[in-house]
Amino acid sequence: MALKTSEESGSPAAIARKHGSRIVAIWFILSLIIDLVVWFVWGPHMPPGDMTTTAAGQQFDFKVLTVMSVPVLLMVWVYGAYVIINFRDRGDHADGYYVKGNRKSQGLWYAATAVLVLFLAGFGTYELVVPAGAGVGEGPSPIWKPASTAHMLQVQVIAQQWRFTYRWPQFGGMETTSLVLPVNTEIQFNVTSLDVIHDFWAYQLGVKADANPEDNNVAYTKTQQTGRFVVRCDELCGIWHGAMYNYGNVVSQNAFYQWATNMEAQNASLTKLLPKYSTVYVPNDNVAGGQYFNG
Amino acid sequence: MSKGARAGLVMVAFAAAIGIILFGVFGYLRSSPPVVSAVPSATQPNTVNVTMQVDGAVGVGPHPTWVGYWIQGANGQYKQTTLLKVPVNTYVHVKLYEYDSGGPLRNPYWGKEIGTAGNVIVVNGQPVSLVNSYAGNGVAHNFDVPGLGVNVALPGVNGNAKNFCNVGPCNPSEAHNLIQFTFYSGKTVHNYRWQCFIPCGLGYLTGNGGPMQSLGYMAGFVQVVK
Ligand SMILES: [Cu+2]
Ligand SMILES: [Cu+2]
């Protein structure tokens, strides 16, 4: 590889500076263009969407991470491409310019990458808990709560091999297989399990919380758009784990209220058979039917 | 024997042993209970009939003590399986002989009869829409097909009955509930999984192992075909 090509003149250092500033210019312009495309064109389509505040928060994180990593990737690619194009052996078989360490560029590289990594560590840690726990299960006594909890909808998520059901303490403690949520509403999920460990992952809601038996795992979110979302179990839980999913809907507040009150009336006789609502749902095996599953 | 012949013999024996082991492993992995097709109704259009029984112990196969289903084929013969084939866009009329005792559901919600015609089942001639598994003989098992929106809670029989069927295949002279219901097979060709909600895997952690997780016992497929 010959740094000094036939048309070039001047000291090796001057030639190196010329190439260096060209590389930096190409890198800067490309990074700017691609970052703008990432933020404004691709960004709004990044998972998990923006159906809720927590989903939007996660989308924002992905946008920031991608915008930050594009210049790093491009520096490597642009430099590589520039070298391949410009410093090829053009037949003179001359040895290349002997490059020794360059304090300035090394220092700059260390400083820039250190700042980037430390910033992302701080940013990531902050974003893990904002807003209101970022849609992640916070255990039975959450630390990061929504600012206003006055009009919060309570939904208990009951995982069981191999289906989810939902309980609604504000609607007579009824239980349903479908998950319907009102838009523009603060929601508290109380996630629990009746047997092994499952995981409630409402993908488009940006909510994910482990379902542990005899434990209440609280996660918050606020709906901000109507639409369909999928709920998946994300903890290997037996033969039908892969089939343990269902779809839910965020609907208008009116439609939700109608659905909920209809359900409450329809399920009244069934609700009477359910244990009294509690954030910890412990199966009762000490009843007339017998102690079937302790054998 | 020469050194070469001995080495050859050892290699042949080794290859044969590996072959036999692989044959056994794949035979086990590929083994599956038989598929039984529902029988078209002689009188009703778009309707098929299925007769099944649930036994507290199936009595045959590698796990004779496990709880499981038998399904009757076109020739009237019962096969020990949970693979049921039905046509698409069809009403499936099920006649089920339930021979097992019952217990409480971990979640009493699943005592509700869902997705059958009229959201009821007929138990010994009486319509039932909800079974309280905390009372009486409890729920023996569920025939729950989430993809078709079907949940049938099967009421149990008295485990202390004199003519209780301890080992399958059982017959109608023994204590049973005759349960009938109809469900719709839907418009989509698909293998719909089916499961139980009563932790009936006795001897397994919270009753959810063994038969609860095995095809041919409490886990199965409704194969909806063209
Ligand atoms: Cu699960
Ligand atoms: Cu069962």
Side-chain angles (χ1 to χ4, degrees), chain A residues 138-145 188 218 220:
Chain A
E138 297 187 54
S141 23
I143 299 168
W144 299 282
K145 295 179 185 176
Q188 176 176 341
V218 175
Y220 300 102

Side-chain angles (χ1 to χ4, degrees), chain A residues 292, chain B residues 54 67-69 100 139-143 154 195-201 207 211-212 217-219:
Chain A
Y292 203 104
Chain B
V54 185
V67 54
Y69 284 81
D100 199 7
V139 167
H141 304 280
N142 290 76
F143 174 77
L154 305 167
Q195 71 160 87
C196 174
F197 278 113
I198 281 284
C200 56
M212 282 293 274
Y217 299 91
M218 277 293 130

